[in-house]
C-alpha cells in the first residue's frame, strides 16, 4: 500500500534536516504505529506524505500503490486515497461542516472520474456515519470545527475519514487532547473502518491509544529514522521503560 | 454645517460651473430644499483629493462635468432576488421605467415618485427631503450629497405605516454608455412599522444616489443592496438615517467590481434602545482596468443603551484598492452605548491594497466600544487542510473567501436574501477560477 524508501527531508526555510532516511512499508489491511519522542520527525513524515508546503525532499521517495506520492498535489493525493487526520484540525468559520464534506467528497469523486453524489444520497451517508461517532445534526450544521471541543474536532476528523473512505489513513497524534471516553469513541470509529483493503499509520507518543487501536506493527522513530520495529509488545516496552532505554540500546 | 473646506480658486470655479449647469425646478415641495442644497454645496465646494475625507479616494471621476463612459455589461444572470416576492420599481439609467415596474400599491406602504410627487407643493416627504442630508453635513462635509439633493431627477418616496407585506425592490439597469443618473429616495418608517428595501443592478455609467431614512419609535428598516454587473461603474451613494427610540436600521451591501464606488452611510442614533447595523462585502478584481471601493461610515450615538455594528469585508485581487473610513461618535450622555466596528481585507495577491481609517470619539464614560482592522492573505494552514481533503486549490480558495466574508453576510437577517447573495458570491468566484 504505502512504501517509503530512504526518505530524506529538510525544512525549506532553514537548512535543517528532519528526516534522515526513513524506510517503511505498510501492507494493505495492516495497522502500523509510529512512536517516538518529541522532535523525532513523526509529524513531519505525516505532512510530507500529505503534501504540505515548507518541506524539501532531498533524497528517497514514497509511493501509494505504486504511484509516486511526492509528485502529486495534496488534493491529488487525497483523491488517490491518502488521508491525514490532523493533530490540530483547522477551524473554518462560515463554511458549514456538511458543505465542506460534500465539496471534498465530490471533488475526490470527480478527480477519479466517478459520478458526484447527490444531496439526498450524501445526507443519508453522513447521517449514518455520524451516528456511530455520536456526532449530532447540530454539529454537522456548524461551521467546520468552529467552537468544537478537542474531542469533537477529533471525532470530526474520523467522520471525514469515514465519509471519504481513503485507502491509506495517517493519524497524527489523534489521541492528543482526548479524555478516556473520547479516545474510546474515536478508536471505535477507526476500528470500524479497518478492513482488508485499508491501511493505517498511527502516529502517537503514548501507548494508550494502541490499547484501543491494536497495531500489527510498531516502529520507533528517533532523530529522523526508524530505529526499531517490532510487534505490539514494543509499544508496551516504551510505556514501561520510556524511549531512553531503546535509544540507548541503539546507540 | 461643517467648517467649509479650504476655499481655493480652482475649487470655487469647478463648483460654480457645476451649479450653473444644474436645471433646478422652481416649484414643488422640493424647491426650497434644492435651493438650500445649492447654498450648502457652494459653501462646501466640490471635493478634491487634497481634502482629508478624500485622502484615499480620488473624487475626480465623480465630480467631472460629464460622466466617464462605461461599457454595458453583457450579463446573462437571472435577476437577483428574483425569487423573492416584491414590489419592483425599475430605473433605466436613472429614468423610471413604468412598463417594467410593478403596481406600487401595497397595504401599509405609500409609494410615490419624486419626479411626479415633486410637482406638488405639499407632500409628507417635505419634512425629509434634504433634511437628513443637511444634518449629515456636520461634522464632515459631504458635498456630493448636497449636489444630489439639488439635482436629483427622480427617486422613490416610501412611507411605511404598517407591516409591509413584501419588500420594495429598486431595480437599476444600465442601457447607455454615458448615462449620468442622480436619484434621491426618501423612506419614512412610522411608529412600529417595518419594511425591507432591496436595491440591485447597475444604475448608470455614473450614479449619484442618496437615500434618506427616518425611522420612528419601534420601526424597523431592512436594506439589502447589490452593486455589480458593471465593471466600469462610477458611483457615489449616501445613506442618511435617523433612528428613533427602540427602532432598528439594518443595511447590507454586496459590491462586485466597479472602477470607483464610494458608499457613505451616516447614521444618527437619536432615541434610546435603538439599533443600527451596517455591513458590506466587496469583491474587487482590478483586471478590468481598475477597482476602487470605499466604504465611509459615520455613526453618531446620541441616546442611551443603543447598539451599533459596522462589519466590512473586502476581497481584493489584481491591483484592487479597498478603503474603509469608519467612525463611531458617542455624544455626551449616550451612556451604555455598545459600539462595534470591524473592517478586514483579504488580499489575494501582492498587488492589491487596503487602506483603513477606523475612528472612535467618545464623550460618555459608561460605554463599550471596540474596533478592529486587519489585512491578510489566505490562511495557508486552512488552505492545506481543505486540499488534503481533496478540494482543489482554486475551490479551496473560493471556500476560504466565503469563510472570510461570512461575518458580513450573517448581518442579513432574511435567509432567502442571504442565500441569493451567497450564490452570487460563489458565481463571482467560480468565474475567476483558473
Amino acid at each position: 500500500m504505502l512504501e517509503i524508501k530512504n526518505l530524506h527531508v529538510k525544512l525549506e526555510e532553514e537548512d535543517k534536516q528532519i528526516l534522515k532516511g526513513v524506510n517503511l512499508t505498510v501492507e494493505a489491511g495492516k495497522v502500523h504505529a509510529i512512536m517516538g519522542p518529541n522532535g523525532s520527525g513523526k509529524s513531519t513524515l505525516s505532512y510530507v506524505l500529505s503534501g504540505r508546503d515548507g518541506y524539501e525532499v532531498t533524497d528517497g521517495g514514497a509511493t501509494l500503490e505504486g504511484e509516486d506520492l511526492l509528485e502529486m498535489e495534496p488534493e491529488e493525493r487525497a483523491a488517490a486515497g491518502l488521508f491525514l487526520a490532523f493533530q490540530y484540525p483547522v477551524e473554518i468559520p462560515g463554511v458549514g461542516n456538511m458543505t465542506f464534506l460534500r465539496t471534498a467528497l465530490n471533488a475526490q469523486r470527480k478527480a477519479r472520474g466517478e459520478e458526484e453524489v447527490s444531496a439526498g444520497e450524501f445526507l443519508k451517508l453522513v447521517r449514518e456515519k455520524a451516528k456511530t461517532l455520536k456526532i449530532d445534526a447540530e454539529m454537522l450544521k456548524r461551521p467546520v470545527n468552529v467552537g468544537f471541543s478537542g474531542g469533537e474536532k477529533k471525532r470530526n476528523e474520523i467522520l471525514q475519514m469515514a465519509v471519504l473512505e481513503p485507502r491509506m489513513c495517517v493519524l497524527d497524534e489523534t489521541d492528543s487532547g482526548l479524555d478516556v471516553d473520547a479516545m474510546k469513541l474515536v478508536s471505535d470509529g477507526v476500528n470500524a473502518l479497518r478492513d482488508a483493503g485499508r491501511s493505517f499509520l498511527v502516529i502517537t507518543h503514548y501507548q494508550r491509544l494502541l490499547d484501543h487501536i491494536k497495531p500489527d506493527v510498531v516502529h520507533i522513530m528517533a532523530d529522523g529514522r526508524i530505529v526499531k520495529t517490532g510487534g505490539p509488545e514494543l509499544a508496551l516496552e516504551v510505556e514501561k521503560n520510556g524511549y531512553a532505554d531503546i535509544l540507548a540500546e541503539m546507540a | 454645517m461643517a467648517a467649509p473646506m479650504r476655499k481655493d480658486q480652482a475649487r470655487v470655479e469647478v463648483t460654480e460651473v457645476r451649479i450653473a449647469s444644474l436645471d433646478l425646478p422652481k416649484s414643488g415641495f422640493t424647491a426650497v430644499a434644492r435651493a438650500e442644497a445649492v447654498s450648502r454645496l457652494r459653501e462646501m465646494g466640490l471635493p478634491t483629493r487634497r481634502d482629508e475625507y478624500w485622502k484615499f479616494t480620488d473624487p475626480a471621476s465623480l465630480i467631472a462635468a460629464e460622466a466617464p463612459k462605461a461599457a454595458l455589461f453583457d450579463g446573462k444572470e437571472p435577476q437577483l432576488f428574483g425569487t423573492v416576492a416584491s414590489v419592483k420599481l425599475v430605473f433605466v439609467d436613472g429614468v423610471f421605467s413604468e412598463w417594467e415596474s410593478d403596481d406600487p400599491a401595497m397595504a401599509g406602504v405609500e409609494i410615490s415618485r419624486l419626479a411626479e410627487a415633486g410637482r406638488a407643493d405639499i407632500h409628507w416627504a417635505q419634512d425629509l427631503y434634504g433634511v437628513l442630508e443637511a444634518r449629515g453635513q456636520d461634522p464632515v462635509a459631504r458635498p456630493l450629497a448636497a449636489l444630489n439633493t439639488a439635482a436629483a431627477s427622480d427617486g422613490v418616496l416610501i412611507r411605511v405605516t404598517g407591516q409591509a407585506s413584501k419588500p420594495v425592490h429598486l431595480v437599476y439597469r444600465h442601457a447607455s454608455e454615458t448615462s449620468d443618473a442622480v436619484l434621491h429616495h426618501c423612506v419614512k418608517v412610522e411608529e412600529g412599522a417595518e419594511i425591507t428595501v432591496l436595491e440591485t443592478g447597475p444604475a448608470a455609467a455614473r450614479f449619484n444616489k442618496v437615500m434618506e431614512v427616518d425611522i420612528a419609535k419601534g420601526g424597523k428598516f431592512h436594506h439589502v443592496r447589490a452593486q455589480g454587473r458593471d465593471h466600469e461603474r462610477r458611483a457615489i451613494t449616501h445613506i442618511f438615517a435617523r433612528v428613533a427610540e427602540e427602532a432598528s436600521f439594518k443595511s447590507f451591501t454586496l459590491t462586485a467590481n466597479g472602477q470607483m464606488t464610494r458608499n457613505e452611510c451616516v447614521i444618527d442614533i437619536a432615541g434610546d434602545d435603538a439599533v443600527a447595523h451596517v455591513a458590506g462585502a466587496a469583491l474587487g478584481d482590478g483586471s478590468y482596468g481598475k477597482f476602487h471601493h470605499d466604504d465611509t461610515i459615520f455613526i453618531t450615538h446620541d441616546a442611551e443603551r443603543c447598539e451599533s455594528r459596522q462589519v466590512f469585508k473586502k476581497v481584493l485581487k489584481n491591483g484592487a484598492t479597498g478603503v474603509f473610513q469608519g467612525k463611531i461618535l458617542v455624544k455626551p450622555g449616550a451612556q451604555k452605548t455598545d459600539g462595534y466596528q470591524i473592517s478586514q481585507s483579504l488580499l489575494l495577491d501582492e498587488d492589491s491594497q487596503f487602506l483603513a481609517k477606523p475612528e472612535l470619539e467618545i464623550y460618555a464614560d459608561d460605554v463599550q466600544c471596540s474596533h478592529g482592522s486587519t489585512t491578510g492573505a489566505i490562511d495557508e494552514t486552512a488552505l492545506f487542510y481543505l486540499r488534503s481533503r481533496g478540494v482543489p486549490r482554486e475551490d479551496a480558495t473560493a471556500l476560504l473567501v466565503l469563510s472570510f466574508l461570512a461575518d458580513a453576510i450573517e448581518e442579513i437577517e432574511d435567509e432567502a436574501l442571504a442565500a441569493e447573495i451567497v450564490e452570487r458570491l460563489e458565481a463571482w468566484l467560480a468565474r475567476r477560477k483558473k
Side-chain angles (χ1 to χ4, degrees), chain A residues 73 75 84 93 108 157 160, chain B residues 385-387 389-390 393 403:
Chain A
E73 295 292 334
E75 54 267 34
L84 169 66
Q108 289 199 16
E157 292 291 288
Q160 292 168 30
Chain B
Y385 188 61
L386 291 170
R387 294 178 74 196
R389 296 302 179 251
R393 177 188 280 275
S403 157

Side-chain angles (χ1 to χ4, degrees), chain B residues 31 34 41 106-107 158 174 251 298 300 316 324 406-407 423 432:
Chain B
R34 288 175 191 268
L41 177 59
M106 177 170 28
I158 304 171
H174 178 204
S251 173
F298 199 115
T300 304
L316 306 167
F324 176 81
D407 291 344
E423 264 177 45
R432 280 158 186 81

Side-chain angles (χ1 to χ4, degrees), chain A residues 75-167:
Chain A
E75 54 267 34
E76 292 169 340
R77 300 179 197 205
L82 182 77
F83 182 93
L84 169 66
F86 280 51
Q87 183 181 0
Y88 304 109
V90 181
E91 295 186 8
I92 307 178
V95 176
N97 221 358
M98 290 291 268
T99 309
F100 164 61
L101 261 175
R102 191 167 163 225
T103 305
L105 179 62
N106 280 333
Q108 289 199 16
R109 293 183 68 95
K110 203 174 148 197
R112 292 194 292 258
E114 298 164 8
E115 285 236 353
E116 292 193 5
V117 176
S118 76
E121 285 172 83
F122 177 74
L123 199 64
K124 208 172 142 226
L125 173 75
V126 173
R127 280 201 182 135
E128 180 198 308
K129 309 270 188 194
K131 208 174 158 190
T132 55
L133 286 160
K134 295 194 177 157
I135 291 175
D136 58 18
E138 179 57 30
M139 238 176 102
L140 289 172
K141 260 200 285 184
R142 267 152 55 187
V144 181
N145 294 327
V146 177
F148 286 25
S149 69
E152 285 174 332
K153 283 182 180 170
K154 296 298 170 82
R155 263 147 63 199
N156 202 29
E157 292 291 288
I158 306 306
L159 173 67
Q160 292 168 30
M161 199 158 90
V163 169
L164 298 172
E165 301 188 318
R167 291 183 293 184

Side-chain angles (χ1 to χ4, degrees), chain B residues 270-284:
Chain B
D272 296 340
D273 303 296
V275 170
H277 291 190
V278 50
L283 299 164

Side-chain angles (χ1 to χ4, degrees), chain B residues 132-143:
Chain B
L132 298 188
E133 175 262 298
R135 287 172 57 118
Q137 299 291 353
D138 183 31
V140 184
R142 305 173 199 278

